[in-house]
Amino acid sequence: MISTFIAIAVLLASAVLLIALRPRAERDIAISARAARITGSMPVASTDAPDAAAALAAAEAVGGSMIQAGYSVETVQDVLRDIARVNNLPESEVLVFPNALLVSARGQGQHRTGAVAGADGQLLLSQIDEVQRTVDAARTGVLDPASTVKRIERIRDMPPTYGRVVRVIGYAFLSGALSVLLGASWTGVSLSAALGLITGAALLLSERVPRRYGALITVGIAFVVAVVVFSLLRAGWGSGILAALLAPLVVLLPGALLTTAVLELSMGHMISGAGRAAAGAMQLVLLSAGIVTAGALVGVPDFDFARHPDLLGPVAPWIAVAVFGISISVHRCAPRRAIPWILLVLYIAYAAQVLGDVFLGGVVSAFVGALCVTPVTALVARQPSGPAALVSFTPAFSLLVPGAIGLVGVADVLGGDRAAAASLVATLSTMVAIALGVLAGSSLSNRMRRPAL
């Protein structure tokens, strides 16, 4: 009951804050667009003659960065069509995939076609924020094609906001905070933080490794984490450390990928949706393979992943949400001005999920959380100091952890447990619920031209 009352208070306080800040909100994306201007940049004038080659280069640069940031194909297509229209090429066509895009810039007798493959690696949150500003500027004509390409190049060259050591420490705190939300004991929290240090360091080192070795790194990280946890379980450390098996792997869990896949399939993007679903399923298989291999080596005692003991009291998770928000902001290098907004969105997401779980049950609570978070990220993005919707949405989405249940289910299947089907069904239901919540919430965020995905 204490957690329920806290959730109600958080939602009420957040509603009052957003209403109080409403007069300062930007009603369109013009201010965000103007912030993207760079030295020597030029706007697009309605009298400018169309230049298919320049518009194609801008569309390729913007589309490639948006794909790397993790936007859905629907959002990328909408943006690139706007860029073509504002550059007087309304007949242009765009075909977007999860890791590539095809653009045909056409109009007034001109016709240029280009293809771009997705770049390796993941953009930092600070880069995503600047990409969104550039998107706003390019689609409204504040930046001409040449200026747009230059700005995207500058964004790709941006240094991380925090150093590698600080980011690794941030991942350790992130892992420890998430273990509190998963019901760990103090021993489990400490173990999660220690394994988070190892995992965070491995993830940063893996950025320098060719992409083709990514599968080996994923299996290796899961194997090391599982060996340590299983060994300590057999040594009698108790079920309070179970969360340490999942918390350090949170960044590797393909929850966002799988949910975006469901979202795209529901919107008719069959190729991109199926591709993301296959990639997410493969990521789960790789993580599960590492866990199963560790179990075969060390041996797995009997335990139940579904148990969520309330070991640290009802207030601890609310403190952990703040630690999680700051930690993931540091690890993913969010803009410093964005951290308070990220915390606000995180608390709304967690409070909505807590209330949804109390009144509607676990799976539907995921729908409620996504439904509330999506428009809130758009409202936050309207604030002068607010980050792009995707910047505040990404940490909030990690709290829903839809991939964690699926990881357990696939591990059970690989280990020969026939009862694992229930976990896999629960995962699918959770992903569908989150996707539907995002889709419903997008009806507001898309009208404000600030999509979360």
Side-chain angles (χ1 to χ4, degrees), residues 122-452:
Q122 190 176 38
L123 293 183
L124 300 173
L125 294 180
S126 57
Q127 292 174 305
I128 294 175
D129 189 52
E130 294 301 324
V131 164
Q132 184 61 59
R133 293 177 183 271
T134 307
V135 166
D136 295 340
R139 73 191 305 187
T140 55
V142 172
L143 291 181
D144 67 352
S147 304
T148 300
V149 173
K150 289 180 181 178
R151 181 166 169 81
I152 292 294
E153 292 174 350
R154 293 187 182 186
I155 291 172
R156 293 192 180 279
D157 293 335
M158 284 176 59
T161 309
Y162 304 96
R164 289 181 174 271
V165 174
V166 175
R167 292 177 64 192
V168 170
I169 294 174
Y171 195 90
F173 278 94
L174 180 159
S175 179
L178 188 61
S179 68
V180 175
L181 298 173
L182 293 175
S185 63
W186 282 118
T187 303
V189 173
S190 301
L191 179 60
S192 295
L195 292 173
L197 276 175
I198 299 173
T199 304
L203 289 173
L204 290 185
L205 289 175
S206 68
E207 294 177 354
R208 303 181 179 181
V209 177
R211 188 175 183 178
R212 61 180 176 272
Y213 299 119
L216 296 177
I217 294 172
T218 299
V219 174
I221 292 174
F223 175 78
V224 170
V225 170
V227 163
V228 173
V229 175
F230 289 161
S231 299
L232 296 178
L233 282 170
R234 291 183 62 83
W237 281 42
S239 61
I241 67 170
L242 281 177
L245 181 61
L246 300 177
L249 303 178
V250 61
V251 169
L252 296 172
L253 293 174
L257 186 63
L258 292 172
T259 303
T260 304
V262 175
L263 184 65
E264 290 180 342
L265 288 171
S266 68
M267 299 174 69
H269 298 288
M270 306 302 292
I271 296 177
S272 58
R276 291 188 200 272
M282 186 61 189
Q283 182 76 352
L284 282 178
V285 169
L286 292 173
L287 289 168
S288 302
I291 293 174
V292 170
T293 303
L297 178 66
V298 178
V300 183
D302 292 332
F303 55 83
D304 182 8
F305 275 104
R307 294 176 58 191
H308 294 284
D310 191 16
L311 297 176
L312 302 181
V315 179
W318 296 96
I319 300 174
V321 169
V323 177
F324 177 84
I326 296 173
S327 301
I328 197 171
S329 298
V330 170
H331 177 72
R332 292 292 306 277
C333 292
R336 290 183 175 89
R337 61 176 171 77
I339 293 179
W341 298 111
I342 290 175
L343 291 176
L344 173 65
V345 174
L346 281 172
Y347 272 110
I348 292 175
Y350 188 68
Q353 193 171 19
V354 167
L355 291 179
D357 187 41
V358 170
F359 294 106
L360 301 172
V363 173
V364 182
S365 71
F367 171 83
V368 174
L371 176 63
C372 293
V373 164
T374 307
V376 168
T377 59
L379 293 173
V380 165
R382 296 178 65 181
Q383 299 300 318
S385 61
L390 184 59
V391 172
S392 57
F393 181 83
T394 299
F397 187 89
S398 299
L399 280 183
L400 303 177
V401 198
I405 306 173
L407 173 61
V408 175
V410 175
D412 289 343
V413 169
L414 294 177
D417 187 351
R418 296 182 179 179
S423 295
L424 295 178
V425 170
T427 299
L428 180 60
S429 301
T430 302
M431 288 188 299
V432 171
I434 294 174
L436 291 176
V438 172
L439 187 60
S442 295
S443 61
L444 176 61
S445 61
N446 286 341
R447 279 202 297 270
M448 290 187 283
R449 305 179 80 178
R450 293 172 173 88

